[in-house]
Amino acid sequence: MIIDLPNTTISQVSKALVKMRDENGVVALGRVLTLIIAASTGSEEEAIEAANDASREHPMRVLVVCTNPADADQGPVESRLDAEIRVGGDAGASEVIILRASGEAASDEQSLVMGLLLPDAPVVTWWPGLAPTVPGLAPLGRIAHRRITDASAQPNPQAALQQLAENYKPGDIDFAWTRLTLWRAQLAAVLDQPPYSPVTAVYIEGSDDSPSTTLLSAWLQFALEADTEYVLTPGITSHGIHSVRLERSTGAIELSRTGGGVARLTQPEQPTHSLALPRRNLRDCLADELRRLDPDELYGLVITEALARLGAATPMTTRSAV
């Protein structure tokens, strides 16, 4: 069910929610958190779809904030707030409230959502597109327990990763790290098997639009204390992480993505294995990050200390020694 509230106010939106609860049995009971999605106008539907899917695992209230403040080049923009409420089959296991503000009504994002937050429930803010320079100090970031960004969605993903490192605050997280979960788990599983000889060198290759490649390099160098070399190639035909090779005295371990969500694992004196290593979509990444609402301490160490030791990413081969 979808209810449109054109040219409205936050008070009227709140009253409409109460009316829906009284007349149709729509309740906020069982909602475990409030998810704020700060999206640009016209790009919000993909994020809403991901939130609807994730809500089946994490029932929540979703507040979508789309703002269009005054533009000096276009002149004054009418101050206006249009809202849309989605429940039932149009909202998964959540209730979605879309706030489209323009002009003066868009000048204070925090005031738009304060009256609609679930009482005594954690708040998570997600920027699926362009993110503020310092998420923790942004209006929608200051009220959030966790703040989710996506460096790969920025115009320059590698520069965005460095910016996140410089402005990191506990509670920040980026999908570039979330997309590494399967890679990290597989590499850790391989190293947990004999022989247990130490890794002496790490070689990683990925596309230059993949901040996950840089983060994986920083994490492996931090965890293994080995010389780490990573190559960033133009992501024209193949995006993301391409391969990881771990050198040991007993031979090299190589994990490479071959396409179609399948990876090839080669190890000394063992047959080659094909493993499922699909690219994680928005729904998977969002659901993963909503499973924990405390700061990710390992991400904090990697994005600040480990990334600083690795050095900034470039389209060239970069070697960083411990």
Side-chain angles (χ1 to χ4, degrees):
M1 180 170 62
I2 299 178
I3 296 179
D4 288 314
L5 299 171
N7 199 14
T8 187
T9 64
I10 294 299
S11 177
Q12 291 173 342
V13 174
S14 182
K15 290 178 180 177
L17 285 171
V18 173
K19 183 178 180 181
M20 292 174 66
R21 180 182 63 203
D22 293 340
E23 294 181 355
N24 303 305
V26 177
V27 298
L29 296 177
R31 305 289 189 245
V32 297
L33 59 91
T34 300
L35 174 65
I36 301 173
I37 301 176
S40 58
T41 301
S43 65
E44 66 273 17
E45 290 301 331
E46 183 180 9
I48 292 173
E49 183 179 353
N52 287 345
D53 289 342
S55 71
R56 293 177 172 85
E57 183 176 343
H58 311 280
M60 56 191 168
R61 171 172 289 179
V62 180
L63 304 179
V64 185
V65 181
C66 302
T67 57
N68 180 28
D71 190 325
D73 296 332
Q74 299 179 356
V77 177
E78 177 188 5
S79 180
R80 180 185 177 96
L81 173 64
D82 297 317
E84 182 180 312
I85 301 175
R86 302 180 185 179
V87 295
D90 296 293
S94 64
E95 51 197 7
V96 178
I97 304 165
I98 305 174
L99 304 173
R100 297 186 175 92
S102 59
E104 185 65 25
S107 61
D108 189 353
E109 295 177 320
Q110 192 175 120
S111 66
L112 288 175
V113 302
M114 288 301 293
L116 300 174
L117 300 178
L118 291 174
D120 302 321
V123 176
V124 178
T125 299
W126 173 30
W127 291 272
L130 293 178
T133 302
V134 188
L137 297 181
L140 296 179
R142 289 196 298 266
I143 61 176
H145 295 77
R146 296 206 82 195
R147 297 166 294 275
I148 303 173
T149 54
D150 191 351
S152 65
Q154 311 309 305
N156 187 333
Q158 300 294 341
L161 190 64
Q162 296 297 325
Q163 182 174 278
L164 289 171
E166 295 169 2
N167 299 295
Y168 172 79
K169 295 185 181 301
D172 292 354
I173 195 69
D174 192 89
F175 278 166
W177 177 252
T178 316
R179 294 187 181 99
L180 291 179
T181 300
L182 299 180
W183 282 90
R184 290 170 54 216
Q186 188 59 56
L187 291 170
V190 170
L191 292 176
D192 278 342
Q193 301 173 9
Y196 302 107
S197 54
V199 175
T200 57
V202 178
Y203 302 92
I204 303 174
E205 183 177 342
S207 62
D208 59 1
D209 62 355
S210 170
S212 295
T213 300
T214 308
L215 278 182
L216 181 60
S217 304
W219 173 68
L220 285 173
Q221 184 192 64
F222 179 80
L224 301 176
E225 298 185 349
D227 284 351
T228 300
E229 182 176 305
Y230 65 109
V231 179
L232 299 179
T233 58
I236 299 175
T237 59
S238 180
H239 300 274
I241 302 169
H242 300 164
S243 64
V244 177
R245 188 168 80 252
L246 307 178
E247 295 283 355
R248 300 194 294 187
S249 60
T250 53
I253 299 170
E254 184 166 359
L255 180 63
S256 57
R257 182 176 269 150
T258 58
V262 177
R264 182 179 62 249
L265 175 64
T266 58
Q267 303 178 74
E269 301 180 359
Q270 292 194 31
T272 299
H273 297 280
S274 294
L275 308 171
L277 197 64
R279 301 186 188 280
R280 307 192 77 190
N281 56 32
L282 279 182
R283 185 269 173 205
D284 293 336
C285 291
L286 181 61
D288 196 351
E289 290 306 330
L290 294 180
R291 292 189 184 107
R292 59 179 301 169
L293 297 176
D294 57 317
D296 189 327
E297 295 180 359
L298 180 57
Y299 169 76
L301 287 173
V302 171
I303 194 70
T304 54
E305 296 182 21
L307 192 61
R309 289 168 57 187
L310 185 71
T314 68
M316 304 292 290
T317 300
T318 303
R319 181 180 296 275
S320 180
V322 178

